[in-house]
Amino acid sequence: MQPVTEENITDLAAARWGTARDPRLAEIMQALVRHLHDFAREVRLTEPEWMAAIQWLARTGQISDEKREEFILASDVLGLSMLVVQMNHRLEPGATPATVLGPFHIEGSPELAYGADMSQGLPGTPLYISGTVRDIDGKAVGGAVLDVWQADTDGAYEAQLDVDEARLRAKYASKSDGTYCVRTIGPLGYSIPMDGPVGDLIARTDISHFRPAHVHFLLNVPGYEPLITHLFQKGAQYLDSDVVFGTKAELVVEFEPREPGPTPDGGTSEVPWLLAVYDFVLQPKA
Ligand code: BEZ
Ligand code: FE
């Protein structure tokens, strides 16, 4: 029997996990063991601290369900999600940058026509987002599906509410010339959920728990790198302190105030509205 010591425990555990039959799993588990052990050594982790961490992880799992993704939130506020996005989406200059998915995307949103309203009369200033979908060589991408979602003016996503119908989310398709038009309401900045273990931890810091006003987009077009991104409102509060590190200068867009009158979908607005013009630029698959 090999004696286990403080000095050799890391090598022993790494060697054991290195037996994973999938070589990538072996690589990941060995690195995980080494970094975890180094972390515990660096901070000289005490037993009460270790137990507090275990209980925090347990609460993170217990509060999660098909609508609440507390582990994604934890990854987001630690900057891990954005690091993984950046490493895996090193796009050409000019391509629309990717940012975090976040915990509130819902599959299967209804398909809406060009310029149709995804806000279904919810209170807020009408917002049209329009432009083209194209590739980095300037070629129009027709038939691209733009999966769009956002929070309401109270900062709540459908996934946080008990509702039966799709709310502030929809799929729009670009026309053959690449043009698209989304009709929604102006988003506001909002707080991430603070009533769980992630919020408990943040409340013990000076971290701002807000995100700047934004609308989410997911474009998964055959032949192109999938794009998960947001458009942020220029001048919005919290652009410099986004709690999930998701902002990028290229994704900040003017939401221009417009007087009542013609709108980009060919209709007319009776009330003042906002216009955001943005071209999504996709990178062909490697
Ligand atoms: C969001 O933008 O929906 C979001 C992203 C990360 C954490 C919380 C919310
Ligand atoms: Fe969001």
Side-chain angles (χ1 to χ4, degrees):
M1 194 179 78
Q2 182 169 23
V4 177
T5 66
E6 187 179 328
E7 286 68 38
N8 73 6
I9 178 90
T10 303
D11 287 341
L12 290 176
R16 195 173 284 180
W17 282 99
T19 66
R21 284 178 289 284
D22 174 345
R24 177 65 175 157
L25 180 62
E27 181 187 357
I28 288 173
M29 292 310 297
Q30 284 183 295
L32 178 67
V33 163
R34 290 197 183 283
H35 286 279
L36 270 180
H37 288 211
D38 283 351
F39 164 73
R41 286 193 174 93
E42 181 182 325
V43 301
R44 296 206 61 78
L45 196 66
T46 66
E47 285 171 312
E49 288 162 350
W50 172 83
M51 182 50 83
I54 297 290
Q55 286 170 345
W56 185 88
L57 287 168
R59 288 202 308 281
T60 302
Q62 283 154 1
I63 204 170
S64 298
D65 58 25
E66 66 284 351
K67 286 199 150 190
R68 179 154 186 170
E69 296 272 15
E70 195 77 358
F71 275 113
I72 294 187
L73 192 61
S75 164
D76 293 342
V77 300
L78 290 172
L80 178 63
S81 307
M82 202 54 191
L83 171 64
V84 173
V85 167
Q86 314 238 41
M87 287 190 305
N88 287 281
H89 299 272
R90 293 183 180 144
L91 301 177
E92 307 272 327
T96 298
T99 185
V100 288
L101 172 68
F104 298 129
H105 176 252
I106 298 179
E107 297 289 344
S109 285
E111 293 169 19
L112 293 190
Y114 186 91
D117 187 1
M118 72 172 205
S119 73
Q120 303 144 317
L122 285 168
T125 309
L127 166 66
Y128 287 84
I129 308 175
S130 73
T132 60
V133 183
R134 56 187 169 83
D135 69 14
I136 43 177
D137 299 321
K139 189 169 83 108
V141 179
V145 176
L146 298 94
D147 190 346
V148 189
W149 69 106
Q150 72 171 79
D152 65 17
T153 49
D154 291 327
Y157 281 85
E158 181 193 319
Q160 296 171 286
L161 302 169
D162 196 12
V163 290
D164 294 332
E165 290 214 325
R167 193 173 187 273
L168 283 172
R169 63 185 175 94
K171 286 180 178 170
Y172 294 85
S174 61
K175 294 183 179 180
S176 56
D177 63 356
T179 55
Y180 73 91
C181 182
V182 173
R183 157 67 163 93
T184 181
I185 49 173
L188 296 179
Y190 61 82
S191 169
I192 58 163
M194 288 293 287
D195 58 346
V198 171
D200 291 346
L201 210 49
I202 287 192
R204 297 173 65 171
T205 73
D206 289 335
I207 296 171
S208 156
H209 48 93
F210 291 90
R211 300 215 62 206
H214 62 271
V215 179
H216 295 254
F217 290 83
L218 188 159
L219 286 84
N220 201 350
V221 183
Y224 295 94
E225 295 294 336
L227 175 65
I228 295 173
T229 197
H230 311 350
L231 296 182
F232 295 93
Q233 181 172 16
K234 189 172 172 190
Q237 208 180 351
Y238 316 117
L239 276 173
D240 292 329
S241 62
D242 183 8
V243 60
V244 303
F245 308 94
T247 51
K248 295 208 159 209
E250 301 93 315
L251 300 174
V252 177
V253 181
E254 187 94 51
F255 287 16
E256 301 165 34
R258 293 292 172 109
E259 294 302 319
T263 50
D265 58 334
T268 306
S269 178
E270 306 289 320
V271 295
W273 53 284
L274 297 166
L275 173 65
V277 176
Y278 187 80
D279 289 347
F280 289 94
V281 182
L282 302 180
Q283 180 163 308
K285 266 219 165 89

